[in-house]
Every structure is written in structure tokens, then in C-alpha cells.
Amino acid sequence: MNKAKRAAIIAGNWKMNMTPSAAKEAVAKTAELVKDADCGVVLCVPFVDIAVAAEAAKGTNVKIGAQNVHFKESGAYTGECSAAMLLEVGAEYVIIGHSERRQYFGETDETVNLRTKAALAAGLKVILCLGEVLEERQAGITAEIVSMQTKLDLAGISAEDLKNVIIAYEPVWAIGTGLTATPEQAEEVCAIIRSVVAGLYGQAAADAMTIQYGGSMNDGNAKELLSKENVDGGLIGGASLVPEKFAVIVSAAR
Ligand code: 13P
């Protein structure tokens, strides 16, 4: 199976939760619980937590990521952080294009693409998020939406750089709602994304790409979702804040 060729990666997205002192404790606890993990483990934390989280993760198998990055190297961009800043404080990954950024902060496929290019050029690994909203699913245009997002968000990215991109399929209607996509729905859309990547970069690159599912994945439903051929991991919101629950999801990824 091609699934065996790909890295399984479980990533937590803490969103706007955890002060630095809470982060230090949560990373240490998570790292202890996932020390025997068979998959990659990443925690994407608020900017101000990155340094302390990276310190707490040192010598463990937990990697630290950020939740956004700007596309310029420096300048008058109030409130933003550059890729070099994130790397220097210990981030190895960055989430780009999360639906909350797209919904609340005006992120578009164009800025997602720019941010992705800048992050990759600087040496960060990117967790690129995309997915349809409820109205799009109900209108039967999920495949069109995720295909378009995949093409626009990856525009101009080389095959070499693609090796450092993970795509997270996050149906917006399933995020923080307790409504999870069924394993069949997750599989169907992850397979569509993979076929679009195959069209852009060839089958081998598509077969090697880690594609995660995200949206109300938890300790109860992870195993079934992760058993699907095209679901190589998860991007976990709420459940990543509770180390014991997150660890169960990590152990489901084998
Ligand atoms: P929940 O797991 O809380 O639904 O969040 C998913 C998500 O947005 C991860 O990025």
C-alpha cells in the first residue's frame, strides 16, 4: 500500500490557548506520553509560546510549529512574524491557511501561497490547510473547491519544496463543531487532493505526500479516520490541549 510509503504525522493546533508557563507543562507532559510514537508528532503553538515549547521539547520526539508566518522578511507589518524569527526561536513547522485565518483575518489563496513560499524558502515545513465550507458541501462542489485551493495554494512551488509540504484537509463545517467528517468523506476528499497533486507534480510526489484530516478528530474517532488509505495523519484542535487525549490519537497513527 502507498500509505506505508508516507510519513504519518499527528499535529496539534493549540490555536489561541496556553500561556508560556502552561505551554511548558503541556509540552513536557505530551512528550512523555508520546515518547514511543510510531509517527511524527508536532505541536503548533502561539508565537509567544514557541521558545519555551521548543526548550521543553528538546531531546524528545515532539517538534514545535507556529500557526502563521508572514511572507516578507522584515518591515512595517505590525503584528506579524517572519519565517526567520520563527526558526530562530525553535519552530520547525508552520500552519498556513487555516480556515480561521481565512474566515476572520482575510487570508486568501494568494496570501496563503505567498506565505507558503516564504516559509519553504526559509526552511520551515508547512502544514497547508484547505477545505470547503458547509454551503459548498451542500452545493456539491467540494471537489471543485479543494482542487482549486490546492492548485492556487501550491502555485509556483517546486517539486523539491513540495517535499516539505503537508496538506491538511479541514472541512470548515467540522472544525470545533463536534461534527466530524465520516471516514469515507475524509478518505474521498484526501484522495481528490492527492489526485490533484499527482496532476501537478506526478504520481510519485503525490504518493509520497502526507495528507492529514482535521476537524473534530479526537481520541474516540481517530483510529477509524486514520485507517483510511489516503488519510496519513491528523491536525487536531481541541483534543491537542489535553495531553492524554492527544496521546491516544498519536497511538492510533501506526
Ligand atoms: P478541532 O479539532 O477543535 O475541531 O479543530 C480542528 C482544527 O481546526 C485543527 O487545525
Side-chain angles (χ1 to χ4, degrees), residues 15 100 171-179 214-217 237-238:
K15 309 192 180 184
E100 287 148 17
V172 181
W173 49 271
I175 295 176
T177 57
L179 275 179
S216 300
M217 193 189 271

Side-chain angles (χ1 to χ4, degrees), residues 26-160:
V27 170
K29 190 157 192 190
T30 302
E32 175 57 28
L33 291 170
V34 304
K35 63 178 190 298
D36 299 320
D38 279 345
C39 63
V41 182
V42 183
L43 290 173
C44 297
V45 306
F47 287 138
V48 295
D49 293 348
I50 294 172
V52 77
E55 183 60 33
K58 226 177 235 167
T60 76
N61 54 354
V62 175
K63 311 280 188 215
I64 300 301
Q67 300 171 10
N68 193 21
V69 63
H70 199 259
F71 41 87
K72 295 285 189 176
E73 284 176 19
S74 64
Y77 302 100
T78 303
E80 295 281 331
C81 287
S82 71
M85 291 171 185
L86 301 182
L87 282 160
E88 191 168 323
V89 287
E92 290 179 54
Y93 286 79
V94 61
I95 293 173
I96 296 179
H98 192 278
S99 67
E100 287 148 17
R101 301 286 327 164
R102 295 179 191 251
Q103 269 182 305
Y104 308 142
F105 301 100
E107 202 77 57
T108 63
D109 287 312
E110 189 184 359
T111 57
V112 168
N113 176 250
L114 289 172
R115 289 178 202 266
T116 301
K117 284 179 181 158
L120 293 169
L124 285 163
K125 295 186 170 74
V126 171
I127 300 176
L128 175 62
C129 300
L130 50 87
E132 81 287 4
V133 300
L134 186 60
E135 294 72 25
E136 292 163 345
R137 176 159 285 267
Q138 287 170 338
I141 56 170
T142 297
E144 286 91 334
I145 294 295
V146 299
S147 302
M148 186 186 71
Q149 289 175 327
T150 303
K151 288 177 189 168
L152 291 173
D153 297 351
L154 293 177
I157 287 165
S158 69
E160 194 52 34

